[in-house]
C-alpha cells in the first residue's frame, strides 16, 4: 500500500533533504471539471479563445522535483527534494519501483528506482501536479569510508582519525574537500593520504587532553573516481582523555609511563631479541584484548614445516601497536628474571603476567587497565629501524612538513 504524505493549505510542506542534482520541470494542470468546460468551449469558440480560457484556468503554482526525471546515480541522502512557488503542497507520494511506499525521513536504499508525485494548489485553489522517477547510485558505483575512532568514544592523545575507503580514490582533492576534522582546542588538523584508499588526519603535536574532535563526512554525491560516488553524510565526535605516553627503552629494558608529563610508573620489560628487534618510533595503541591468540605463521615466523615458530592461544593483556603484528602484552611463559634484564621476544614488548590474565597486581595487568586506545607507546634504543608511519596508526613518525605534503587540499 502506498504511504501518502498529506499537507493542508495552512502549512507549506516540503521534503527536508537538500538537492545536489535536479532541474526545474514546470507543468500546469487542471481539474476534470475545468477540462470538461474547455472541451465544450472548443466546439463553439475559436482556438484563440480556447487558449485564453485555458490560460485563465491554469494554476499559478510551480513545482520543482529533484533529481530530474530519468536521473541515475542519484545520491541517497540529499538529492530527493520537492519545492513549490506560488502555491502550497497538498500531497506528496514517494514510492520505490516495486510499489512499496517510502516516507522522506531517512536515507534511501542504493540501486533502487524511486518515483515522486506532488500536487499543489495556488491561492485561487487551482491544482498543479508533477512527477519524477530516478534511480539511486548502486554499490558498484559508490564508495564508503570506514573510520576510526568510534562516535562517542574517549581515546588517547595519539589517536588519529583514520579513514579507509572501500574503493580506490582517484580524485583525492574532491574527497578530502568533503571531509572536515576539527578540535575544540583550535589545533590545526591536516589530512594525509597514505595510498589511494587511506586518509588520516592529525594535528602537529598530540591532541590536547580533554578536547573534543569532530569528524564530518559530507561525501554524498562526491565523485571519488570515474563514475564512483560517495554516499555518506555523517558527523561523529570523540573525546581526548588524559595525556598518557609510555616510553620503552629497549636497551635498558624498562618502560616509563607518564601522564601529563609526570612519571607515574616504571615497569621492567623484555623487548625483541637481537635476531628480531622491536621497531623504534612512536606507536599508537589501536586495539585491546584481555586474551588473544598469537601465531607466528600469521606474521612470517615459521619453522621448516611451515608452522608458526610459536602459537600461544591465550596471550594475556595484549594491545596492538602495528598492523604487522607488534603488540605490547603480558608474558606468563618467560621466567620472572627476564623482565628488565633480557630481550627475548619476536619483536613485541613483553611485561610480566600470569596465565589467564587474572592477577591485577601483575605489571601487564596494571598497564592494560591504565591504558586506552589512542595512547602512545614510544620505543627507543632498539637495533631495528623506525616503524613505517602507515603500519598501524603511526603517522606521528612523519614530520609535520612531510605530513602536510601528503594532503590533497
Amino acid at each position: 500500500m502506498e504511504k501518502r504524505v498529506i499537507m493542508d493549505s495552512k502549512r507549506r510542506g516540503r521534503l527536508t533533504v537538500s538537492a545536489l542534482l535536479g532541474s526545474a520541470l514546470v507543468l500546469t494542470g487542471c481539474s476534470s471539471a475545468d477540462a470538461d468546460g474547455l472541451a465544450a468551449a472548443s466546439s463553439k469558440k475559436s482556438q484563440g479563445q480556447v487558449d485564453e480560457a485555458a490560460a485563465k484556468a491554469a494554476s499559478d503554482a510551480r513545482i520543482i522535483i529533484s533529481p530530474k526525471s530519468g536521473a541515475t546515480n542519484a545520491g541517497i541522502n540529499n538529492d530527493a527534494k520537492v519545492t513549490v512557488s506560488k502555491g502550497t503542497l497538498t500531497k506528496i507520494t514517494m514510492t520505490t519501483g516495486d510499489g512499496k511506499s517510502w516516507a522522506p525521513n531517512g536515507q534511501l536504499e542504493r540501486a533502487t528506482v524511486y518515483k515522486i508525485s506532488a500536487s499543489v494548489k495556488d491561492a485561487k485553489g487551482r491544482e498543479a501536479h508533477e512527477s519524477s522517477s530516478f534511480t539511486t547510485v548502486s554499490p558498484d558505483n559508490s564508495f564508503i569510508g570506514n573510520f576510526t575512532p568510534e562516535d562517542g568514544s574517549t581515546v588517547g592523545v595519539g589517536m588519529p582519525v583514520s579513514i579507509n575507503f572501500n574503493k580506490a580514490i582517484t580524485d583525492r582533492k574532491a574527497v578530502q574537500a568533503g571531509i572536515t576534522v576539527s578540535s575544540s582546542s583550535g589545533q590545526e588538523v591536516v589530512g594525509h593520504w597514505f595510498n589511494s584508499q587511506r586518509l588520516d588526519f592529525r594535528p602537529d603535536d598530540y591532541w590536547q587532553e580533554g578536547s573534543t574532535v569532530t569528524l564530518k563526512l559530507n561525501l554524498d554525491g562526491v565523485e571519488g573516481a570515474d563514475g564512483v560516488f560517495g554516499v555518506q553524510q555523517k558527523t561523529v565526535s570523540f573525546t581526548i582523555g588524559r595525556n598518557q605516553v609510555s616510553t620503552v627503552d629497549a636497551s635498558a629494558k624498562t618502560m616509563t609511563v607518564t601522564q601529563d608529563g609526570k612519571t607515574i610508573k616504571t615497569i621492567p620489560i623484555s623487548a625483541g631479541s637481537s635476531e628480531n628487534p622491536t621497531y623504534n618510533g612512536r606507536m599508537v595503541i589501536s586495539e585491546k584484548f584481555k586474551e588473544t591468540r598469537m601465531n607466528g605463521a600469521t606474521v612470517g615466523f615459521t619453522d621448516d614445516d611451515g608452522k608458526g615458530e610459536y602459537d600461544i592461544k591465550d596471550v594475556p593483556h595484549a594491545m596492538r601497536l602495528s598492523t604487522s603484528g607488534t603488540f605490547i602484552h603480558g608474558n606468563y611463559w618467560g621466567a620472572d628474571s627476564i623482565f628488565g634484564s633480557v630481550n627475548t621476544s619476536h619483536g613485541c614488548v613483553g611485561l610480566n603476567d600470569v596465565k589467564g590474565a587474572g592477577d591485577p597486581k601483575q605489571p601487564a595487568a596494571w598497564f592494560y587497565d591504565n591504558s586506552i586506545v589512542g595512547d602512545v607507546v614510544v620505543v627507543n634504543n632498539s637495533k631495528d629501524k623506525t616503524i613505517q608511519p602507515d603500519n598501524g596508526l603511526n603517522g606521528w613518525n612523519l614530520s609535520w612538513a612531510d605530513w602536510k605534503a601528503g594532503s590533497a587540499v
Side-chain angles (χ1 to χ4, degrees):
M1 176 182 293
E2 285 190 344
K3 183 175 181 180
R4 299 177 181 269
V5 181
I6 307 298
M7 301 183 181
D8 61 32
S9 60
K10 295 181 180 180
R11 183 174 63 184
R12 183 179 301 273
R14 64 180 180 87
L15 297 183
T16 59
V17 287
S18 60
L20 296 175
L21 303 173
S23 64
L25 300 177
V26 181
L27 297 177
T28 59
C30 303
S31 67
S32 59
D34 291 334
D36 292 340
L38 290 174
S42 65
S43 63
K44 300 178 180 179
K45 300 180 180 179
S46 68
Q47 185 61 47
Q49 290 173 313
V50 171
D51 292 344
E52 183 179 357
K56 291 180 180 179
S59 174
D60 292 331
R62 297 294 182 266
I63 306 169
I64 301 175
I65 297 178
S66 298
K68 65 181 180 179
S69 190
T72 58
N73 287 328
I76 63 176
N77 292 286
N78 292 331
D79 285 8
K81 181 180 180 182
V82 178
T83 56
V84 176
S85 62
K86 297 182 179 180
T88 302
L89 281 169
T90 58
K91 181 173 66 176
I92 301 174
T93 303
M94 186 166 183
T95 59
T96 63
D98 59 6
K100 295 180 180 179
S101 62
W102 172 88
N105 59 358
Q107 191 180 73
L108 304 184
E109 296 293 332
R110 286 189 279 181
T112 303
V113 176
Y114 286 92
K115 297 178 181 180
I116 297 178
S117 297
S119 299
V120 303
K121 283 186 178 181
D122 65 10
K124 296 181 179 179
R126 295 171 297 187
E127 292 186 350
H129 309 276
E130 184 60 275
S131 62
S132 180
S133 176
F134 61 91
T135 304
T136 52
V137 64
S138 70
D140 288 342
N141 284 38
S142 60
F143 70 89
I144 62 171
N146 298 301
F147 57 85
T148 190
E150 296 180 0
D151 186 30
S153 59
T154 297
V155 297
V157 296
M159 188 69 183
V161 172
S162 185
I163 305 171
N164 286 274
F165 299 102
N166 68 334
K167 290 185 175 66
I169 302 300
T170 57
D171 194 340
R172 299 184 184 185
K173 183 176 182 180
V175 170
Q176 189 175 337
I179 303 171
T180 58
V181 180
S182 60
S183 172
S184 62
S185 66
Q187 293 172 274
E188 180 186 12
V189 184
V190 175
H192 179 96
W193 290 88
F194 285 112
N195 53 52
S196 63
Q197 291 184 246
R198 179 176 171 186
L199 171 63
D200 284 15
F201 290 82
R202 51 156 270 214
D204 182 5
D205 203 352
Y206 301 136
W207 300 105
Q208 189 174 104
E209 62 180 284
S211 59
T212 299
V213 179
T214 301
L215 163 67
K216 293 183 178 181
L217 297 170
N218 293 307
L219 296 175
D220 189 52
V222 174
E223 191 168 15
D226 188 23
V228 180
F229 299 87
V231 295
Q232 288 170 295
Q233 181 172 296
K234 192 176 185 66
T235 298
V236 301
S237 62
F238 57 94
T239 302
I240 306 301
R242 74 287 177 275
N243 184 330
Q244 178 167 303
V245 178
S246 302
T247 303
V248 173
D249 186 328
S251 178
K253 304 168 188 68
T254 60
M255 179 172 68
T256 303
V257 183
T258 65
Q259 284 190 4
D260 305 322
K262 298 180 180 179
T263 299
I264 61 172
K265 199 171 187 68
T266 299
I267 301 173
I269 60 93
S270 180
S273 66
S274 57
E275 295 82 10
N276 301 297
T278 305
Y279 285 124
N280 285 292
R282 294 192 282 178
M283 296 174 241
V284 174
I285 296 174
S286 60
E287 292 181 291
K288 294 180 64 180
F289 305 96
K290 188 70 174 290
E291 290 183 280
T292 191
R293 179 180 181 180
M294 291 187 180
N295 187 335
T298 63
V299 289
F301 293 112
T302 58
D303 293 324
D304 293 338
D305 60 4
K307 294 183 179 180
E309 292 182 13
Y310 57 87
D311 186 2
I312 306 171
K313 297 177 176 60
D314 56 355
V315 177
H317 298 120
M319 292 175 280
R320 181 182 291 278
L321 299 178
S322 78
T323 305
S324 62
T326 307
F327 281 77
I328 183 166
H329 62 76
N331 178 335
Y332 66 79
W333 52 91
D336 293 346
S337 59
I338 69 171
F339 301 99
S341 61
V342 184
N343 288 328
T344 60
S345 81
H346 284 77
C348 293
V349 177
L351 287 68
N352 205 358
D353 209 343
V354 296
K355 185 178 177 65
D359 185 354
K361 296 181 181 180
Q362 293 295 317
W366 181 92
F367 187 64
Y368 182 91
D369 291 341
N370 286 275
S371 297
I372 59 176
V373 168
D375 281 348
V376 180
V377 176
V378 183
V379 178
N380 295 324
N381 300 320
S382 175
K383 295 180 180 180
D384 205 349
K385 60 186 177 182
T386 298
I387 192 168
Q388 290 296 307
D390 61 345
N391 186 1
L393 302 176
N394 300 323
W396 300 105
N397 294 289
L398 286 174
S399 69
W400 186 231
D402 288 341
W403 182 267
K404 295 176 75 173
S407 174
V409 298

